Amino acid sequence: MKLKIERIELREIELPLKSPFETSFGRTTRRRILIVRVFDRDGATGYGECVASERPFFNHETIDTAWLITTQHIVPLLASASWDTAAQVNDVLAPIRENRMAKAGVEAAIWDLEATLAGAPLWRHIGGTREEIACGVSIGLQSSTEALLEKVRTEVESGYQRIKIKIKPGKDVNLAQAVRQQFPDITLSVDANSAYRLETDIELLKQLDDYNLLMIEQPLTPGDLLDHSKLQKELRTPLCLDESIVCLANARHAHELDACRIINIKLGRVGGFTEAKAIETFAREHQTPVWCGGMLESGIGRAHNIALSTLPGFTLPGDVSASARYWEEDVIEPPVTVSRTGTIKAPTAAGLGFEVNESRVEALTVRRETIRLSP
Ligand code: OSB
Ligand code: MG
């Protein structure tokens, strides 16, 4: 099948979170989300979501840098190159260094268009095999330990299969201990979003070994595979890398260094489905479990995450959870819901498998730009 993209539409929508989400790097109360829509000559469309945040605290990208890179570099490159399929987009965009979240928003939209034209659900189109995915939740830092325990209780009672709590210096061992004491049997992990340093914090991080954690996610700086490797040698608990793994090469290096034993894959962080699949394949071939991370996505990005999670290497519950945990009303119909046993069924309809509520997207739009690729 040969794709012919005629135009790409960018919209910024603003969605208030039901409750603020706090990590070691800051607090988010609303999401400014870049929605990408590609159109072919016959009016068929595909949707993508760029997960870059408002501020460059998770990585260097922001929604504003992504908007600029998309309009000034990604779209012109797609227009000038010769390519036919979604699987080629990653190579076409390779001359643009980094800016992976910007590229992923466009790449995912093209995959959705291609799946739609093929009449296949996106998850099958990318090679997914699971008809149901296992779900966990990521719980932000709370105002008190009691508030955290209450949140954990709610999510455990909803059926989620894995609870992850955010930690930061001063709110770490005490939280792990409190949650583990109240919930001795749950599958529990912690995520530091790079808040620690090996030189000063190794003794503290070693204490986390006492709480039977499934993993400790991204304790150290993103670029620091070597220190993660030194830390892993001192721990029984597996390290999981998130921010550190932005491409296949990073996954390979992390594996060779034994810098982690689990990988969180986020579509945006690695630049799209092609790179995500390459990391998944490498990890599977090296017995490294992976799971799908989240970036507080709207239903569009959430649908892409569901598709990604159906690949065979995604053997651990991810951070893909129900729309209602984030939004009063999502931008897709039906919203994403989770079963009482903490699973999401992969959709059966072609493409995303969810309808995008166009009038809701229109009502939430605060900025828009359309760029034509072909006359
Ligand atoms: O590190 O996984 C992370 C949210 C924003 C930025 C980074 C992270 C997160 C989450 C939320 O943990 C996952 C979600 O529920 O979407
Ligand atoms: Mg993380």
Side-chain angles (χ1 to χ4, degrees):
M1 184 190 317
K2 288 190 181 216
L3 296 176
K4 282 278 174 231
I5 308 288
E6 186 210 53
R7 64 184 200 278
I8 296 186
E9 177 192 81
L10 305 187
R11 287 170 184 263
E12 176 179 337
I13 61 169
E14 212 174 283
L15 267 182
L17 282 163
K18 267 188 176 173
S19 51
F21 188 81
E22 190 173 331
T23 70
S24 64
F25 61 74
R27 197 176 158 89
T28 306
T29 53
R30 53 145 197 197
R31 291 283 282 121
R32 290 174 56 202
I33 299 174
L34 166 49
I35 301 294
V36 180
R37 193 175 186 190
V38 299
F39 294 78
D40 78 358
R41 285 174 178 171
D42 303 317
T45 73
Y47 275 103
E49 172 168 342
C50 171
V51 299
S53 313
E54 185 167 354
R55 298 165 301 180
F57 294 171
F58 172 79
N59 70 353
H60 63 281
E61 295 188 77
T62 70
I63 176 172
D64 299 299
T65 68
W67 190 289
L68 184 134
I69 291 287
T70 304
T71 56
Q72 299 196 6
H73 302 286
I74 293 175
V75 178
L77 196 48
L78 284 173
S80 65
S82 120
W83 58 279
D84 300 319
T85 67
Q88 293 169 333
V89 170
N90 193 47
D91 281 345
V92 170
L93 299 181
I96 299 171
R97 291 206 197 274
E98 301 300 333
N99 294 287
R100 295 172 194 272
M101 290 177 173
K103 293 196 247 184
V106 175
E107 198 245 23
I110 295 171
W111 277 103
D112 176 29
L113 170 65
E114 192 176 75
T116 302
L117 291 174
L122 177 62
W123 65 275
R124 285 218 190 266
H125 189 64
I126 63 164
T129 52
R130 295 169 193 283
E131 304 201 345
E132 201 169 59
I133 66 163
C135 308
V137 291
S138 172
I139 302 178
L141 290 157
Q142 304 294 314
S143 55
S144 67
T145 306
E146 293 66 44
L148 174 64
L149 292 172
E150 196 47 46
K151 287 257 180 195
V152 173
R153 177 169 308 284
T154 305
E155 306 296 8
V156 169
E157 285 174 358
S158 300
Y160 285 104
Q161 297 182 20
R162 187 226 59 203
I163 304 293
K164 153 172 143 185
I165 62 170
K166 293 289 187 179
I167 59 169
K168 70 172 185 182
K171 287 186 156 195
D172 37 48
V173 176
N174 57 325
L175 297 185
Q177 199 234 334
V179 175
R180 186 44 93 203
Q181 190 179 342
Q182 285 276 310
F183 305 93
D185 301 324
I186 62 171
T187 304
L188 179 65
S189 68
V190 297
D191 184 1
N193 289 108
S194 301
Y196 298 89
R197 298 293 169 266
L198 187 67
E199 312 83 78
T200 47
D201 303 320
I202 184 155
E203 290 310 317
L204 183 140
L205 292 165
K206 279 162 76 171
Q207 290 179 50
L208 291 170
D209 254 349
D210 294 342
Y211 304 102
N212 186 27
L213 301 175
L214 177 64
M215 68 191 107
I216 300 170
E217 184 177 342
Q218 196 68 45
L220 311 175
T221 309
D224 221 337
L225 289 183
L226 191 58
D227 280 359
H228 279 103
S229 163
K230 290 180 183 170
L231 176 59
Q232 181 68 85
K233 283 185 181 48
E234 301 292 324
L235 295 174
R236 267 175 291 125
T237 311
L239 291 181
C240 169
L241 291 176
D242 175 351
E243 286 91 325
S244 289
I245 308 292
V246 307
C247 59
L248 173 61
N250 290 163
R252 232 171 2 89
H253 299 159
H255 177 71
E256 282 185 32
L257 284 166
D258 190 24
C260 70
R261 299 192 176 150
I262 297 176
I263 295 175
N264 160 338
I265 300 184
K266 289 178 177 166
L267 214 43
R269 199 193 65 229
V270 307
F273 278 107
T274 298
E275 198 70 20
K277 275 160 54 85
I279 295 169
E280 180 263 349
T281 303
F282 174 84
R284 188 157 35 82
E285 288 169 354
H286 294 83
Q287 291 76 48
T288 303
V290 307
W291 54 277
C292 181
M295 292 291 290
L296 312 174
E297 286 90 349
S298 84
I300 294 170
R302 201 164 294 280
H304 286 290
N305 287 344
I306 293 170
L308 183 65
S309 305
T310 66
L311 294 173
F314 284 71
T315 54
L316 290 173
D319 278 350
V320 187
S321 59
S323 298
R325 294 187 62 247
Y326 306 84
W327 322 114
E328 291 297 343
E329 188 189 347
D330 206 336
V331 301
I332 56 165
E333 281 167 3
V336 173
T337 54
V338 173
S339 76
R340 296 295 310 164
T341 54
T343 63
I344 294 173
K345 276 205 161 44
T348 52
L352 282 188
F354 295 83
E355 288 297 322
V356 175
N357 182 339
E358 289 181 31
S359 59
R360 172 138 176 87
V361 170
E362 177 66 28
L364 294 168
T365 297
V366 297
R367 167 162 61 146
R368 131 182 32 214
E369 188 170 344
T370 297
I371 313 154
R372 305 190 77 81
L373 276 79
S374 62

PDB file of all heavy atoms in Angstrom, residues 164 166 191 193 217 242-243 264 266, ligand 2:
ATOM      1  N   LYS A 164       2.304   1.584  41.117  1.00  0.00           N
ATOM      2  CA  LYS A 164       3.602   2.288  41.140  1.00  0.00           C
ATOM      3  C   LYS A 164       3.396   3.590  41.876  1.00  0.00           C
ATOM      4  O   LYS A 164       2.399   4.285  41.638  1.00  0.00           O
ATOM      5  CB  LYS A 164       4.045   2.504  39.698  1.00  0.00           C
ATOM      6  CG  LYS A 164       4.952   3.701  39.430  1.00  0.00           C
ATOM      7  CD  LYS A 164       5.443   3.649  37.985  1.00  0.00           C
ATOM      8  CE  LYS A 164       5.526   5.029  37.374  1.00  0.00           C
ATOM      9  NZ  LYS A 164       5.881   4.963  35.943  1.00  0.00           N
ATOM     10  N   LYS A 166       5.198   7.317  43.017  1.00  0.00           N
ATOM     11  CA  LYS A 166       6.302   8.233  42.742  1.00  0.00           C
ATOM     12  C   LYS A 166       7.064   8.497  44.042  1.00  0.00           C
ATOM     13  O   LYS A 166       6.452   8.596  45.115  1.00  0.00           O
ATOM     14  CB  LYS A 166       5.749   9.553  42.193  1.00  0.00           C
ATOM     15  CG  LYS A 166       5.117   9.414  40.819  1.00  0.00           C
ATOM     16  CD  LYS A 166       6.171   9.164  39.745  1.00  0.00           C
ATOM     17  CE  LYS A 166       5.548   9.192  38.362  1.00  0.00           C
ATOM     18  NZ  LYS A 166       6.549   8.971  37.302  1.00  0.00           N
ATOM     19  N   ASP A 191       8.969   4.960  41.330  1.00  0.00           N
ATOM     20  CA  ASP A 191       9.542   5.696  40.186  1.00  0.00           C
ATOM     21  C   ASP A 191      10.091   7.025  40.697  1.00  0.00           C
ATOM     22  O   ASP A 191       9.347   7.844  41.229  1.00  0.00           O
ATOM     23  CB  ASP A 191       8.462   5.924  39.123  1.00  0.00           C
ATOM     24  CG  ASP A 191       9.003   6.595  37.866  1.00  0.00           C
ATOM     25  OD1 ASP A 191      10.219   6.877  37.793  1.00  0.00           O
ATOM     26  OD2 ASP A 191       8.193   6.842  36.938  1.00  0.00           O
ATOM     27  N   ASN A 193      11.975   9.266  38.747  1.00  0.00           N
ATOM     28  CA  ASN A 193      12.201  10.268  37.700  1.00  0.00           C
ATOM     29  C   ASN A 193      13.535  10.999  37.885  1.00  0.00           C
ATOM     30  O   ASN A 193      13.596  12.233  37.895  1.00  0.00           O
ATOM     31  CB  ASN A 193      11.038  11.273  37.624  1.00  0.00           C
ATOM     32  CG  ASN A 193       9.778  10.644  37.059  1.00  0.00           C
ATOM     33  OD1 ASN A 193       8.815  10.417  37.793  1.00  0.00           O
ATOM     34  ND2 ASN A 193       9.769  10.312  35.773  1.00  0.00           N
ATOM     35  N   GLU A 217      12.245   2.370  39.347  1.00  0.00           N
ATOM     36  CA  GLU A 217      12.297   2.988  38.022  1.00  0.00           C
ATOM     37  C   GLU A 217      13.118   4.269  38.052  1.00  0.00           C
ATOM     38  O   GLU A 217      12.895   5.137  38.891  1.00  0.00           O
ATOM     39  CB  GLU A 217      10.860   3.263  37.565  1.00  0.00           C
ATOM     40  CG  GLU A 217      10.728   3.829  36.160  1.00  0.00           C
ATOM     41  CD  GLU A 217       9.273   4.006  35.725  1.00  0.00           C
ATOM     42  OE1 GLU A 217       8.368   3.390  36.348  1.00  0.00           O
ATOM     43  OE2 GLU A 217       9.036   4.769  34.776  1.00  0.00           O
ATOM     44  N   ASP A 242      13.500   4.334  32.271  1.00  0.00           N
ATOM     45  CA  ASP A 242      12.483   5.064  31.510  1.00  0.00           C
ATOM     46  C   ASP A 242      13.233   6.155  30.725  1.00  0.00           C
ATOM     47  O   ASP A 242      13.650   5.934  29.575  1.00  0.00           O
ATOM     48  CB  ASP A 242      11.455   5.631  32.509  1.00  0.00           C
ATOM     49  CG  ASP A 242      10.393   6.532  31.892  1.00  0.00           C
ATOM     50  OD1 ASP A 242      10.503   6.882  30.706  1.00  0.00           O
ATOM     51  OD2 ASP A 242       9.430   6.935  32.595  1.00  0.00           O
ATOM     52  N   GLU A 243      13.516   7.295  31.367  1.00  0.00           N
ATOM     53  CA  GLU A 243      14.166   8.429  30.704  1.00  0.00           C
ATOM     54  C   GLU A 243      15.471   8.045  29.989  1.00  0.00           C
ATOM     55  O   GLU A 243      15.835   8.666  28.982  1.00  0.00           O
ATOM     56  CB  GLU A 243      14.469   9.541  31.733  1.00  0.00           C
ATOM     57  CG  GLU A 243      13.264  10.350  32.204  1.00  0.00           C
ATOM     58  CD  GLU A 243      12.600   9.774  33.456  1.00  0.00           C
ATOM     59  OE1 GLU A 243      12.553   8.527  33.605  1.00  0.00           O
ATOM     60  OE2 GLU A 243      12.112  10.573  34.276  1.00  0.00           O
ATOM     61  N   ASN A 264      10.909   0.300  30.527  1.00  0.00           N
ATOM     62  CA  ASN A 264       9.652   0.989  30.284  1.00  0.00           C
ATOM     63  C   ASN A 264       9.751   1.567  28.872  1.00  0.00           C
ATOM     64  O   ASN A 264      10.711   2.284  28.566  1.00  0.00           O
ATOM     65  CB  ASN A 264       9.509   2.071  31.363  1.00  0.00           C
ATOM     66  CG  ASN A 264       8.532   3.192  31.017  1.00  0.00           C
ATOM     67  OD1 ASN A 264       8.228   3.443  29.859  1.00  0.00           O
ATOM     68  ND2 ASN A 264       8.073   3.900  32.040  1.00  0.00           N
ATOM     69  N   LYS A 266       8.043   4.021  26.132  1.00  0.00           N
ATOM     70  CA  LYS A 266       7.046   5.046  25.833  1.00  0.00           C
ATOM     71  C   LYS A 266       7.208   5.429  24.377  1.00  0.00           C
ATOM     72  O   LYS A 266       8.317   5.781  23.942  1.00  0.00           O
ATOM     73  CB  LYS A 266       7.270   6.298  26.702  1.00  0.00           C
ATOM     74  CG  LYS A 266       6.931   6.108  28.165  1.00  0.00           C
ATOM     75  CD  LYS A 266       7.221   7.351  28.986  1.00  0.00           C
ATOM     76  CE  LYS A 266       6.802   7.132  30.432  1.00  0.00           C
ATOM     77  NZ  LYS A 266       7.361   8.180  31.331  1.00  0.00           N
TER      78      LYS A 266
HETATM   79 MG    MG B   2       8.838   6.844  34.734  1.00  0.00          MG
END
